[in-house]
Amino acid sequence: NSSSSSSSCRRTCSIDRGVTTVKHHHVVPTTTSIYHYHHHHQHQQRRSFLFDAFSSRNPILDLTTKNPSKETATVDWTTVSPKQLIKAAAQVETDYKDQAVAVLQSFSNDEGLSSSSAAKELLEKRQGLEAAPQTLRNVAVLLHQMHVFDSSWIDATTQVLSSNVAAAHQEQAADFLKALQKATTDDTATDKITTRLVALQIEQYQKRGVALDDDDDDTRETWNVLVNASVQLETRFLTAALPSNNGESSSSSSTTKEQLQDLYTLLSVKQKQAELLGYKDYVDLSLDGRMMPRDEIEPLLDVVAARAQTAMDQLENNIDNNDKTTVVQQQQDDVDVTPYLSLDGTLLGLFALCRALFGIVVTEDAKGAAKGWHPDVRLFHVANDSESKESFGSFYLDPFRRPTKSRTTFMGPMTQNTVYINTNVRPPVWDDMSTPVALDDVVSLFHEFGHVLQFLLATPATRVGLEDNAATLDVSEIVPHFMEHWVFEASILQTLAHFSGTTMPDEVIQQAQAQRRHVKMDETLRRVFLGRLELELFSRDTADDESLVAMQRRLAEQYVGHDLLPKSDLSPMAQLVEANRNNNKPVAQYRYLLSELISADIFQAFQDAGLADQDAMKKLGGQFKEVLLTPGVTVNGYEALQVLRGKDTVSTEAYLSLYKL
């Protein structure tokens, strides 16, 4: 294979555990890997068949019914089958219907709802009711991502994910909304966290149209029609616009015109949904309750974009070739740190940093990992750095790329105290070798572990994914970006190299820091482009003479003129439709840059205190934990800035200084 590529070509081939990969992500199993894959697959099928035949126990159902506050939920994933997922979903839906009625009946007494603890008790019961459906969905997402080419798994997980048990019962949701509103008539009777959680729950219900149940039947029917139309249009548009499994997408002119018509209709539907809920447009609806209104977001984006563009122009002027695309590509070429950093060394360094900052200890559980969905999966437990060192949470790590799983890097929740990280590190050639990691791998590990910290270090009542609640999307990426900043400190890179058994030369560290700056130039401009495009796309006046294609082109020329796409390429708008699908992350592209502005400001506090001052780091780390980790979904970005920086405004200076823009 390697002899087929020219030595002068930068597209290289390498063989990892029987899998030949090329830079463009084409994955071709070799003869050996085909044998081992089918042998392993048949072995798993036999195990699943025997398990289904001789055991009535369903491990997925066990997972949804465990008490996560008392023990870490672990499953022998080697015994799990698609049929068990379907059966568990059916049981969870039946239980949900019965339990929802019982919970509501327990609060039917008006006197009970007026007591000081009614709101908290109702909220706790509501969260307990949602726990099983949410865990089921989490598991379905995990299995979907880990079996992307197994049709039986894809069929099963798609079926479960398309039938959201809790969201499907609109009647119960309306009754819960009324009960919550009645229970919180006296704001002084509830504690701060409960008040915030109830407010977030009520806001979610209202934006889902649950409150429309009090209106006339025609309004309710209109809402249902709009919701169904939105789902159908999103599905049809994205099916044509997004790449298929072979990496190709339809690009014929007729298909593009049909896509555009669907997009125009979809935007009109979302506009009508927003108006029905009393908002000016979909952007106004989505930003309600966030950190910033639109008229404050856009100036911040433009200030950062102008500085990044100036930096890129200066870079151009320093070289003979004025081709911006070439310049950016040259500066983004990876600095090779693989001789100095290993996977285990990086993990040890990451865990040591978190112990110093947040007072936690991470230990590996080799016995528990043996039950993972693949032999490469590792299991870790997280505990406070105290004498007892009692674990309060766990996470799985699926580190290596392989043909059968998703190539996306992400963190996902499983239960209330267990999460998982999926990365795509290139596996070692031999099993007894250490695993070298690229710089991007290190950044991804630190970033995703930031999400782990956000989830596991939150109080149990607030241990909800920040990205699952539209009101907290603005702060959802602060901790992950904060963790990224540490990677490019010389002392941290040397620490990671030390745990890897090497020493990283100063020139390599400087190259890594320089590459980071150049990557940020391009990344900043792309973030601003998508953020501004999203704001304009979902607030567009239907009577506007400017076409969607012209609007995308105008903003692309303004922010990413160095890498313009063909006019017929609708992928940027498709990316935005995908992000807003089912109101998943509504109008939130700007949040990546906003979170990074805040994280850079907070990181500067650590730099100013002196990163080598252990006492100062411990003190600041404790404050960081108190205002950004412990609150979970109730976190307040302005409060974090006030405590850690002594101000209550978001500024660009620290971000621009950090990346020398």
Side-chain angles (χ1 to χ4, degrees):
N1 286 324
S2 59
S3 63
S4 64
S5 60
S6 169
S7 60
S8 62
C9 179
R10 301 196 73 250
R11 180 174 63 89
T12 58
C13 296
S14 60
I15 299 177
D16 297 326
R17 292 188 177 179
V19 178
T20 303
T21 61
V22 297
K23 186 174 182 180
H24 301 295
H25 298 169
H26 301 149
V27 182
V28 184
T30 64
T31 303
T32 304
S33 71
I34 289 175
Y35 168 76
H36 284 295
Y37 171 73
H38 284 294
H39 177 74
H40 175 72
H41 186 61
Q42 290 170 357
H43 177 64
Q44 292 291 87
Q45 285 183 323
R46 286 197 299 272
R47 288 193 64 172
S48 295
F49 172 77
L50 291 172
F51 188 85
D52 287 340
F54 296 104
S55 175
S56 60
R57 183 182 176 190
N58 186 331
I60 298 180
L61 195 58
D62 287 347
L63 190 64
T64 63
T65 57
K66 278 184 179 290
N67 185 347
S69 64
K70 292 185 177 180
E71 61 177 308
T72 298
T74 57
V75 171
D76 185 352
W77 293 95
T78 61
T79 66
V80 172
S81 69
K83 289 183 179 180
Q84 290 171 334
L85 180 64
I86 299 297
K87 290 179 180 179
Q91 186 62 52
V92 166
E93 181 166 8
T94 300
D95 293 345
Y96 182 90
K97 291 178 182 178
D98 296 339
Q99 293 169 8
V101 173
V103 170
L104 286 168
Q105 286 178 345
S106 69
F107 284 89
S108 60
N109 188 334
D110 288 345
E111 293 181 3
L113 287 175
S114 63
S115 67
S116 61
S117 62
K120 186 173 184 178
E121 188 176 347
L122 179 58
L123 191 66
E124 289 174 349
K125 289 196 173 186
R126 178 63 176 168
Q127 290 176 334
L129 180 65
E130 299 283 354
Q134 187 59 58
T135 298
L136 181 71
R137 287 181 60 80
N138 293 342
V139 171
V141 170
L142 166 66
L143 296 172
H144 189 91
Q145 297 289 343
M146 298 307 161
H147 302 281
V148 292
F149 295 114
D150 188 323
S151 59
S152 59
W153 270 116
I154 295 302
D155 290 344
T157 55
T158 301
Q159 179 179 331
V160 172
L161 293 172
S162 62
S163 59
N164 187 341
V165 173
H169 299 283
Q170 194 81 1
E171 183 178 344
Q172 284 94 334
D175 290 338
F176 268 110
L177 173 59
K178 294 174 185 177
L180 280 172
Q181 290 172 328
K182 188 177 293 186
T184 54
T185 52
D186 183 5
D187 291 338
T188 61
T190 55
D191 60 87
K192 180 180 177 182
I193 290 181
T194 300
T195 300
R196 174 64 172 157
L197 287 172
V198 170
L200 289 173
Q201 184 66 74
I202 290 175
E203 182 180 327
Q204 277 191 316
Y205 279 149
Q206 290 174 335
K207 289 187 176 183
R208 277 172 42 194
V210 172
L212 295 176
D213 275 356
D214 290 333
D215 295 342
D216 57 83
D217 292 340
D218 289 341
T219 302
R220 181 76 252 173
E221 180 62 26
T222 299
W223 175 261
N224 290 335
V225 169
L226 292 173
V227 169
N228 291 332
S230 178
V231 171
Q232 293 175 13
L233 288 164
E234 287 168 343
T235 301
R236 194 162 65 197
F237 174 77
L238 293 172
T239 299
L242 294 178
S244 60
N245 287 337
N246 61 11
E248 299 176 354
S249 60
S250 177
S251 59
S252 67
S253 59
S254 60
T255 303
T256 301
K257 291 177 182 178
E258 292 174 1
Q259 289 174 243
L260 276 173
Q261 185 56 55
D262 285 340
L263 183 54
Y264 277 109
T265 308
L266 174 62
L267 295 175
S268 178
V269 167
K270 287 190 175 292
Q271 173 68 26
K272 291 177 181 177
Q273 285 181 290
E275 291 173 355
L276 206 58
L277 294 175
Y279 292 90
K280 176 184 175 182
D281 51 46
Y282 182 71
V283 169
D284 188 31
L285 165 66
S286 302
L287 297 184
D288 183 29
R290 303 271 185 90
M291 279 187 68
M292 288 184 175
R294 178 175 178 174
D295 59 3
E296 292 182 19
I297 294 171
E298 291 178 326
L300 274 179
L301 297 181
D302 286 343
V303 167
V304 176
R307 296 291 291 272
Q309 187 61 64
T310 299
M312 185 172 285
D313 290 341
Q314 291 172 346
L315 179 64
E316 270 194 310
N317 295 333
N318 291 334
I319 61 174
D320 295 331
N321 183 1
N322 287 327
D323 181 352
K324 289 185 179 181
T325 303
T326 303
V327 171
V328 172
Q329 185 59 53
Q330 288 174 343
Q331 300 298 340
Q332 289 184 353
D333 285 345
D334 286 341
V335 175
D336 186 13
V337 298
T338 55
Y340 315 105
L341 301 182
S342 68
L343 176 60
D344 285 338
T346 299
L347 290 173
L348 288 172
L350 170 60
F351 299 157
L353 174 64
C354 291
R355 184 173 189 174
L357 292 176
F358 310 124
I360 61 172
V361 178
V362 181
T363 56
E364 185 163 12
D365 180 355
K367 183 178 179 181
K371 300 178 181 179
W373 50 89
H374 189 274
D376 291 335
V377 174
R378 302 166 69 173
L379 177 62
F380 298 86
H381 301 301
V382 185
N384 288 314
D385 190 8
S386 59
E387 290 184 6
S388 65
K389 288 186 172 55
E390 183 177 353
S391 171
F392 58 79
S394 306
F395 69 94
Y396 288 93
L397 173 63
D398 193 343
F400 300 131
R401 63 180 69 174
R402 56 180 181 270
T404 55
K405 77 168 188 175
S406 169
R407 294 298 295 268
T408 306
T409 298
F410 60 94
M411 186 285 287
M414 291 172 64
T415 66
Q416 282 190 319
N417 68 343
T418 308
V419 299
Y420 62 93
I421 299 175
N422 181 61
T423 61
N424 283 279
V425 176
R426 188 181 295 276
V429 177
W430 307 111
D431 289 336
D432 58 352
M433 287 179 59
S434 63
T435 304
V437 288
L439 193 57
D440 281 348
D441 297 327
V442 177
V443 173
S444 294
L445 280 169
F446 272 67
H447 182 100
E448 299 308 330
F449 197 71
H451 285 299
V452 172
L453 294 172
Q454 280 181 316
F455 192 92
L456 293 184
L457 270 63
T459 56
T462 65
R463 200 173 281 177
V464 182
L466 298 183
E467 293 192 351
D468 293 335
N469 194 302
T472 54
L473 280 171
D474 284 356
V475 295
S476 63
E477 294 290 331
I478 293 177
V479 178
H481 279 125
F482 172 80
M483 295 303 297
E484 280 190 38
H485 299 324
W486 289 93
V487 174
F488 295 91
E489 288 297 318
S491 59
I492 296 299
L493 283 172
Q494 286 290 18
T495 298
L496 301 183
H498 169 76
F499 279 115
S500 301
T502 66
T503 301
M504 186 176 292
D506 291 341
E507 57 268 26
V508 175
I509 294 176
Q510 293 167 4
Q511 290 170 7
Q513 293 169 334
Q515 176 194 300
R516 176 71 165 175
R517 175 182 182 246
H518 297 135
V519 167
K520 281 297 174 181
M521 288 182 203
D522 182 62
E523 183 183 291
T524 297
L525 292 170
R526 293 183 188 279
R527 293 288 191 208
V528 174
F529 164 61
L530 286 174
R532 290 301 300 263
L533 178 61
E534 185 176 43
L535 290 169
E536 292 202 24
L537 182 66
F538 290 106
S539 64
R540 182 180 177 278
D541 190 335
T542 54
D544 197 334
D545 291 334
E546 184 182 39
S547 70
L548 294 179
V549 173
M551 180 183 69
Q552 177 178 290
R553 188 71 172 185
R554 169 174 55 82
L555 293 172
E557 290 175 346
Q558 181 177 353
Y559 297 112
V560 288
H562 60 281
D563 192 18
L564 285 175
L565 295 170
K567 288 185 177 181
S568 60
D569 191 334
L570 305 182
S571 58
M573 288 190 285
Q575 182 178 342
L576 298 178
V577 172
E578 172 71 13
N580 285 267
R581 192 175 193 177
N582 297 327
N583 296 323
N584 182 27
K585 295 180 177 61
V587 189
Q589 285 296 316
Y590 71 88
R591 83 185 191 280
Y592 293 104
L593 198 49
L594 177 60
S595 289
E596 195 155 12
L597 293 178
I598 298 172
S599 69
D601 212 338
I602 292 172
F603 185 67
Q604 191 173 67
F606 286 77
Q607 290 178 313
D608 293 345
L611 301 184
D613 188 333
Q614 296 183 19
D615 291 336
M617 293 300 98
K618 184 177 181 179
K619 179 181 178 180
L620 280 171
Q623 293 175 330
F624 185 100
K625 182 178 179 180
E626 182 180 353
V627 295
L628 280 167
L629 299 177
T630 303
V633 77
T634 65
V635 66
N636 185 301
Y638 288 123
E639 182 180 340
L641 284 171
Q642 183 64 51
V643 170
L644 294 166
R645 296 296 285 159
K647 60 183 181 181
D648 56 5
T649 57
V650 179
S651 60
T652 62
E653 286 79 5
Y655 177 83
L656 297 172
S657 174
L658 183 65
Y659 298 117
K660 298 180 174 61
L661 300 179

